[in-house]
Amino acid sequence: MDHEALAREMRGLREQVTGITDTAVAAADGLLIAADTADSIDPEGLAALAAAGLGLARRTAQATARGTLRQTVTYGSHGCAAFYAVGDTALMVVLGDEGMDVDRLHRATQPALDRIGSILTHKAAEGV
């Protein structure tokens, strides 16, 4: 897998959207693939929690006939956590501070998600 390409995508988001503090890419089962997080964040734990949250959101979207889940955002008193589906097999989590523009994040993230999906698909194709 091209970990450097994943790292470039995560750094690119930070450059495009002010307020991003941490990013990670994980498999849908919660296993960490890549992370760009502060020392105060446990990237493996973040990946597992993000997968659990995204799984619940996917089931909710299906149960309420809202279609395929694209993203979910959790807001806290010190910022937010955005979880994005990367196809059916992976996810990306982006943590941001209180000043992060979530609408800008959503716009900037879509092209990055497409590229991350391609990087991960290329990995799967190599393993076959």
Side-chain angles (χ1 to χ4, degrees), residues 50-66:
L54 195 65
L56 286 171
R58 277 188 170 136
R59 299 230 16 206
T60 301
Q62 291 171 350
T64 57
R66 299 295 161 225

Side-chain angles (χ1 to χ4, degrees), residues 1 4 8 65-66 72 77 80 82 91 114:
M1 173 185 336
E4 183 54 37
R8 274 194 307 272
R66 299 295 161 225
T72 185
S77 59
C80 67
L91 63 95
D114 292 341

Side-chain angles (χ1 to χ4, degrees), residues 37-60:
T37 57
D39 290 340
S40 61
I41 301 290
D42 169 21
E44 288 84 8
L46 177 62
L49 289 169
L54 195 65
L56 286 171
R58 277 188 170 136
R59 299 230 16 206
T60 301

